[in-house]
Amino acid sequence: MNRVGFILKAKTQYNLHSPFVFNLYRKVLFARLGRRRRVLLGIENHFEETVYKMSNHLRPHALFVITHDDKIKRIVGHAAPETKLMAWGQQPITPNDILLVPFPHRNRAREEQWKQCCALAEATTTIDLYHTGIVLFDRKLSKQHLVLR
């Protein structure tokens, strides 16, 4: 999807019906950290800021990121094997985990990978921010795919 197609398809906070996603949008995804705080935390780009805010606000059991070589890397927390729902490579995904996909629209291969992540049976809510794809594995949330700007 190109940037123009994304903008035409994307919703804003005024089109969100889920209270959880609305609060996530307002308090986490589009709340900006001050410049001083970004420097103190060593945050250099928007993706790093998203990782920090997601882990700090939602406090997941584990936060996973797909790396440049298409492997899954655990950034935050731990996952207990007894609550294993799905294993991608060696990483177990549990009901309270988050998977972040950096630049899901960079190329066709990454776009296909993003679609596979959205199609996972255990994935409940997926959020496409163009620069970051977010997959939430929380059974309390309804199954939905959102494109937000």
Side-chain angles (χ1 to χ4, degrees):
M1 178 184 327
N2 64 20
R3 184 74 175 155
V4 175
F6 176 83
I7 290 171
L8 292 174
K9 190 176 181 180
K11 296 180 180 182
T12 63
Q13 65 183 342
Y14 304 108
N15 304 105
L16 296 176
H17 299 288
S18 166
F20 173 81
V21 177
F22 179 79
N23 286 331
L24 187 68
Y25 183 96
R26 297 275 318 257
K27 295 179 180 177
V28 180
L29 299 176
F30 290 94
R32 301 305 260 164
L33 293 177
R35 182 168 191 241
R36 181 175 182 185
R37 191 165 185 190
R38 289 173 57 96
V39 170
L40 289 173
L41 294 168
I43 295 174
E44 297 177 6
N45 58 47
H46 192 71
F47 182 75
E48 290 176 356
E49 184 175 342
T50 302
V51 169
Y52 171 77
K53 291 188 297 186
M54 292 291 288
S55 63
N56 195 35
H57 182 75
L58 295 178
R59 305 240 186 248
H61 288 139
L63 190 139
F64 299 97
V65 173
I66 296 180
T67 62
H68 295 294
D69 55 353
D70 294 335
K71 295 193 171 140
I72 295 214
K73 179 180 177 185
R74 182 183 297 136
I75 300 294
V76 174
H78 65 283
E82 63 270 14
T83 57
K84 179 176 172 180
L85 290 176
M86 186 256 331
W88 187 334
Q90 298 297 322
Q91 301 293 349
I93 303 293
T94 62
N96 232 4
D97 291 347
I98 299 172
L99 173 65
L100 297 178
V101 181
F103 308 107
H105 304 289
R106 178 182 343 171
N107 54 36
R108 288 182 192 221
R110 186 54 70 100
E111 185 119 11
E112 188 59 37
Q113 188 179 46
W114 170 239
K115 288 178 184 175
Q116 289 174 1
C117 291
C118 292
L120 292 171
E122 297 85 0
T124 52
T125 301
T126 58
I127 302 170
D128 187 346
L129 301 173
Y130 194 77
H131 59 80
T132 306
I134 302 168
V135 182
L136 300 171
F137 299 92
D138 190 346
R139 293 182 189 152
K140 294 180 269 180
L141 300 174
S142 61
K143 188 133 181 125
Q144 58 184 332
H145 176 70
L146 300 165
V147 178
L148 302 176
R149 60 179 164 115

